[in-house]
Amino acid sequence: MHLLIPFASGESEAAAHVLRDLALPNLTQLLGRLTLAQRDDGDAYSMSPPHERALAAAHGWRGEDGLYPFAAQAAARDGLAVGDAAWAFVTPCHWLVGRDHITLLDPAALLLDEAESRAAFEAVRGLFESEGFRVEWGGATRWYAAHDSFADLHTASLDRAIGRNVELWLRGDAARAAPLNLVRRLQSELQLLLYPHALNDAREQRGVPTLNSFWLSGCGRPQADAADAPTVDDRLRAPLLAEDWVAWAEAWRALDAGPLAQLLVTARDALPVTLTLCGERNAHRFAAAPRSAWQALRARFDRVEAHAVLEAL
């Protein structure tokens, strides 16, 4: 039983303050029973966030920062014939233009329904096909493209770009320059295509964000998935990205009372359990390990402070 929790911690002082005030009794007891088995330490500006790196490792994928085939995996799960092509997510989104920079809003905030999404997809598909891309619709905010250039195109995860200046993530070395320039041109042309579209007129009248760009991520050719991939509970994601600390604290309490309580019961039954906690910089994997009677006794008195473990992420 392996549980992976993304966005278990945040970079901000506000997140640290929430963690220090949170009572997470089941997580505290669970950490007292488990041993730190693996550390993946990085920084908040890697293209692949810690939870994606941890998932890629669990799947046994080969790859590098910003180059793990999450799009190919998702496309296959959506029933597409992925073959051995290199795939990418083309996520419809809204770019909020400010005085000094452009911010990418969480695509979930678009509240796109299937009809709107399909209408937008059909309006822009020719734009991608004219450049030799195969494009497919997988869901309201799950569009896909396949092209040989995606086989080695490093891109920033959507979870890195949300709420941040997009310019931070659209820079690259000489090897990325040509494909990134094409992506940026397509982003500009998509905006021009959709600006006068009836769906955006209707969205403006409803007071919801318009669809004016896309985000490319998850590039790579399909790789086999491990049979024992972890269970991912991502309920902390949306509130942390929105910096809604009340909702984030509530999500943590629900997580502690639900999946973490169940994992603790399993650990008490001496069954193998693994817990991977992922913040914005690091991913730490904890697992049950054989302990001597002395180690077990000492663990009863050496209290593990959950907030200290989480803040280290």
Side-chain angles (χ1 to χ4, degrees), residues 93-95 97 119-120 123-124 127 186-205 209-213:
C93 60
H94 178 86
W95 286 10
V97 180
V124 303
L127 182 64
L186 290 174
Q187 287 167 333
S188 297
E189 292 180 6
L190 180 143
Q191 182 177 19
L192 292 175
L193 270 174
L194 290 183
Y195 178 75
H197 198 283
L199 78 88
N200 272 335
D201 288 339
R203 293 183 67 82
E204 284 187 341
Q205 291 176 10
T210 57
L211 200 168
N212 64 7
S213 193

Side-chain angles (χ1 to χ4, degrees), residues 180-261:
L180 282 181
N181 285 340
L182 174 58
V183 169
R184 299 201 69 165
R185 177 166 64 78
L186 290 174
Q187 287 167 333
S188 297
E189 292 180 6
L190 180 143
Q191 182 177 19
L192 292 175
L193 270 174
L194 290 183
Y195 178 75
H197 198 283
L199 78 88
N200 272 335
D201 288 339
R203 293 183 67 82
E204 284 187 341
Q205 291 176 10
R206 299 203 311 270
V208 293
T210 57
L211 200 168
N212 64 7
S213 193
F214 69 89
W215 193 255
L216 193 86
S217 63
C219 296
R221 299 189 190 278
Q223 297 185 38
D225 287 344
D228 58 347
T231 298
V232 179
D233 192 311
D234 67 351
R235 73 184 72 194
L236 300 172
R237 175 186 179 275
L240 186 136
L241 290 175
E243 297 185 342
D244 184 343
W245 304 116
V246 173
W248 191 60
E250 285 301 315
W252 249 125
R253 293 186 189 100
L255 193 57
D256 190 71
L260 289 170

